[in-house]
Amino acid sequence: MASNNNSERKGFTITWIIENFKYSTYRYGDVLGSPTFIVDTMEETKWSFSLCRTFFDGDNFEDGFVIRLARLPDRNGPSSITIDWECALLAADGCVAGQSNLTEGEFTNQHRVGLKFFDLKYGISAVFLNGNLTVRCKMWKCFGGINNDGYCTARTHIGVGKKSSIWSIRNFSTLEKGNELTNMIKSTLNHKPIVTLKFSVTGEDEMLRISFISSDSEVESRCYFSIKLSVLDSNGEAVTCGEAEVCFCDGEKESECLLTLTKKEIMRKKSQYLRDDVLSLLYECNFSTGLVYGEIENTNYGWIPPQTANACLSDLNLAENAATKNSSAPSILKRDIEWMLHENVLCDVKLRTRAETFPAHWFILSARSPVFRAMFQSDGEEKAQDCIDIEDVDADTARRMLLYMYTDACGDLQWESASKLYAAADKYQILSLKEECSSFLKTDLDTVNACDALMIADLHNDEHLKSATSVFILKYHKVIFNSDVWKRLIQTNGQLIFETMLLKFKD
């Protein structure tokens, strides 16, 4: 029988991280499956999760999820095993978005059981914080003891395409109500249309409206689409004037948003916003690509991984309370520390690139980077007054790296800046920054940069990025295998090509 006191019981915890779930094309009723995992301490039984977003059919319809824990066929496991299990949905910040009660269940070989419904206690926005979703489950064997706790992390990545461009609205002053200008956004991967933008003037106040119309393609029409709109002023600075998030699912084909700038306001300030009667509209959009891959990252028995130690299921409620208490404190702390960096307050060390020198604080550098910490520990306090030469890092990368060490933020990334920052983070062992850049590179993969990403992953021994890039290359091999960069890679790194092709044959 299930017990509510499990603090003394040894069990197994599986954490399933779904990156970019916000951009999933899975509609209500569709199922997303996790990578399979084997629990050695439960007689080598094989398991998996599946997740389905649904409406709970009760007195009222509620947005929520159904999670199924399934035992899969295995060779070594018993015909039947009884476990207690409980699970929770966590947002990207670790807060509990939905939690289940402890349940006892009998799982037979080749038999799938275990359904749990989660209503979203903080609403859908809490689950999609940063676009990610985490499912965590803890299992205990009901009959027979387990000597060591076990922990496993699985990760599923949902592909997101990114595209930005400037849309030049010519003869803006003569644009009349009822007239529509169109611009089609196409996928970089296969040049298929994703969304059509329509620009028009509407209403007595001459509001500027952008309509979004989804593609007729079966895949692209099931798409989560977000866009940020800005007008470029005479200095080339982007003035944000609109943002929208649209889910083209279940027959929905069109949406719209109104810009915060009106035609009248732009005409009043035409010297600021118009050049030769041209309005430069910058759009930056993210959209679903349909690419999904998953992997088991690590499994540990007998010790608690650092990322798990403070987030065990028995402490979920404590974590939730801590997250809501003094919620403004971290942002204030980051603001004050960033101010000390930018204002050069009590800085006692300098990082010197070939083009620029940056003042910093040796204490912050030591806390964030084992490499810098080793420098200061070996050379003594007097070293803190010197310049540290980092000539292999350009000024922009050094600036972003410093900003991250002080604030956990590195600004808006593009492929080139993320690649350089990734290399710097790896050299100075800022692992959280390396992981963030790696995640960006995986998300921003396209047929042009995939080979570069593969070489970067191989150079820095990043198996997760390497695996994700290999899967991507094999998915779009018809385009990539005919590219010049792939042909050069064959000549310069045959082993890397062999490993990628071997993965195709393994599949």
Side-chain angles (χ1 to χ4, degrees):
M1 179 178 295
S3 168
N4 289 322
N5 183 12
N6 293 295
S7 59
E8 302 299 325
R9 301 174 70 185
K10 302 294 185 181
F12 186 84
T13 300
I14 170 73
T15 302
W16 179 24
I17 303 167
I18 308 172
E19 295 179 337
N20 299 325
F21 187 84
K22 179 177 182 178
Y23 290 88
S24 170
T25 57
Y26 290 85
R27 299 179 292 185
Y28 296 105
D30 289 346
V31 176
L32 176 65
S34 77
T36 60
F37 58 97
I38 295 175
V39 184
D40 292 345
T41 52
M42 292 186 180
E43 304 184 59
E44 299 183 2
T45 48
K46 183 186 294 186
W47 305 81
S48 74
F49 283 112
S50 61
L51 182 145
C52 174
R53 187 176 171 192
T54 184
F55 281 117
F56 179 67
D57 190 6
D59 294 335
N60 297 301
F61 285 100
E62 298 181 40
D63 199 4
F65 290 91
V66 169
I67 293 178
R68 180 176 64 184
L69 174 65
R71 182 183 170 191
L72 304 179
D74 52 67
R75 296 180 179 179
N76 301 323
S79 59
S80 175
I81 185 171
T82 302
I83 66 169
D84 292 338
W85 66 293
E86 63 183 12
C87 56
L89 290 173
L90 305 182
D93 63 351
C95 293
V96 177
Q99 188 171 3
S100 76
N101 295 322
L102 187 69
T103 303
E104 179 182 305
E106 180 182 4
F107 292 77
T108 61
N109 206 340
Q110 303 186 26
H111 181 56
R112 301 184 176 191
V113 297
L115 295 176
K116 292 185 181 295
F117 171 79
F118 294 85
D119 64 333
L120 305 179
K121 63 187 294 186
Y122 296 126
I124 196 72
S125 60
V127 178
F128 290 154
L129 183 63
N130 295 332
N132 299 333
L133 178 67
T134 300
V135 180
R136 179 168 293 152
C137 174
K138 191 161 189 177
M139 309 156 62
W140 296 270
K141 191 176 178 183
C142 289
F143 305 106
I146 295 178
N147 294 327
N148 294 316
D149 283 315
Y151 302 90
C152 178
T153 302
R155 187 179 299 271
T156 295
H157 180 87
I158 295 173
V160 177
K162 297 176 181 288
K163 198 157 189 178
S164 61
S165 184
I166 296 176
W167 184 5
S168 297
I169 310 295
R170 302 185 183 280
N171 302 317
F172 177 80
S173 62
T174 62
L175 186 63
E176 298 180 353
K177 299 177 186 178
N179 293 341
E180 289 186 334
L181 304 177
T182 61
N183 191 353
M184 184 176 292
I185 299 176
K186 295 182 179 181
S187 170
T188 305
L189 301 177
N190 49 32
H191 211 57
K192 290 183 179 180
I194 301 295
V195 174
T196 297
L197 306 182
K198 288 189 176 182
F199 181 91
S200 61
V201 180
T202 183
E204 295 181 359
D205 295 331
E206 294 190 317
M207 300 293 294
L208 300 180
R209 177 175 61 193
I210 298 287
S211 299
F212 315 104
I213 304 173
S214 72
S215 163
D216 291 331
S217 169
E218 172 63 20
V219 174
E220 281 78 8
S221 63
R222 295 178 58 183
C223 173
Y224 188 94
F225 176 84
S226 65
I227 189 168
K228 178 181 177 181
L229 298 154
S230 306
V231 171
L232 300 185
D233 63 16
S234 57
N235 296 319
E237 298 292 330
V239 180
T240 302
C241 57
E243 294 186 61
E245 295 184 351
V246 184
C247 184
F248 293 121
C249 291
D250 299 318
E252 296 182 10
K253 289 287 186 180
E254 188 169 352
S255 185
E256 66 178 39
C257 79
L258 296 176
L259 304 189
T260 56
L261 290 172
T262 66
K263 181 180 178 182
K264 290 181 179 179
E265 183 176 359
I266 291 175
M267 292 304 300
R268 285 198 303 267
K269 301 178 181 179
K270 60 183 180 180
S271 61
Q272 179 179 354
Y273 293 121
L274 298 180
R275 183 176 181 180
D276 298 328
D277 205 19
V278 175
L279 179 71
S280 297
L281 185 65
L282 169 67
Y283 62 81
E284 303 167 89
C285 61
N286 303 325
F287 52 87
S288 312
T289 65
L291 179 68
V292 178
Y293 62 85
E295 61 183 350
I296 298 295
E297 290 192 342
N298 57 69
T299 304
N300 307 285
Y301 291 97
W303 69 284
I304 304 178
Q307 65 271 26
T308 307
N310 296 324
C312 295
L313 275 173
S314 58
D315 297 327
L316 282 176
N317 289 328
L318 293 176
E320 179 183 2
N321 293 335
T324 56
K325 183 179 180 181
N326 295 328
S327 59
S328 63
S331 60
I332 296 174
L333 176 62
K334 289 180 181 180
R335 182 196 66 192
D336 291 343
I337 293 178
E338 184 179 6
W339 173 81
M340 292 188 68
L341 172 67
H342 290 319
E343 297 299 323
N344 196 4
V345 177
L346 300 178
C347 291
D348 47 19
V349 68
K350 295 178 181 179
L351 297 183
R352 182 166 55 198
T353 67
R354 292 183 178 180
E356 193 171 348
T357 300
F358 301 90
H361 302 83
W362 71 266
F363 179 79
I364 297 292
L365 301 187
S366 298
R368 299 290 272 167
S369 165
V371 175
F372 286 127
R373 182 162 62 248
M375 290 182 185
F376 297 132
Q377 288 176 337
S378 62
D379 294 337
E381 293 184 1
E382 62 274 12
K383 179 64 178 178
Q385 302 297 327
D386 296 341
C387 279
I388 299 176
D389 290 317
I390 51 173
E391 294 185 353
D392 56 336
V393 178
D394 63 42
D396 179 68
T397 302
R399 186 181 297 106
R400 291 175 183 271
M401 184 175 70
L402 267 177
L403 178 65
Y404 184 87
M405 285 194 283
Y406 278 75
T407 68
D408 272 348
C410 49
D412 293 334
L413 293 175
Q414 299 296 327
W415 175 265
E416 183 178 0
S417 59
S419 302
K420 293 179 179 179
L421 192 57
Y422 174 90
D426 184 49
K427 178 177 180 179
Y428 293 101
Q429 298 180 26
I430 311 171
L431 299 185
S432 58
L433 177 58
K434 180 183 176 182
E435 182 178 350
E436 184 169 329
C437 293
S438 177
S439 179
F440 176 88
L441 295 177
K442 286 187 287 186
T443 300
D444 209 43
L445 284 172
D446 59 36
T447 54
V448 176
N449 62 35
C451 292
D452 291 334
L454 187 64
M455 290 186 286
I456 290 171
D458 184 61
L459 178 64
H460 296 280
N461 299 314
D462 188 337
E463 291 302 322
H464 297 153
L465 178 59
K466 189 175 182 179
S467 174
T469 306
S470 298
V471 170
F472 181 92
I473 289 174
L474 294 178
K475 182 178 178 68
Y476 298 100
H477 67 278
K478 291 183 179 179
V479 177
I480 296 175
F481 286 3
N482 290 318
S483 67
D484 292 337
V485 66
W486 179 262
K487 294 174 183 177
R488 288 196 298 270
L489 187 58
I490 293 176
Q491 297 176 349
T492 59
N493 198 331
Q495 178 63 30
L496 189 56
I497 296 293
F498 174 77
E499 293 173 0
T500 305
M501 298 305 297
L502 184 61
L503 178 62
K504 180 177 179 64
F505 290 111
K506 283 183 178 180
D507 292 342

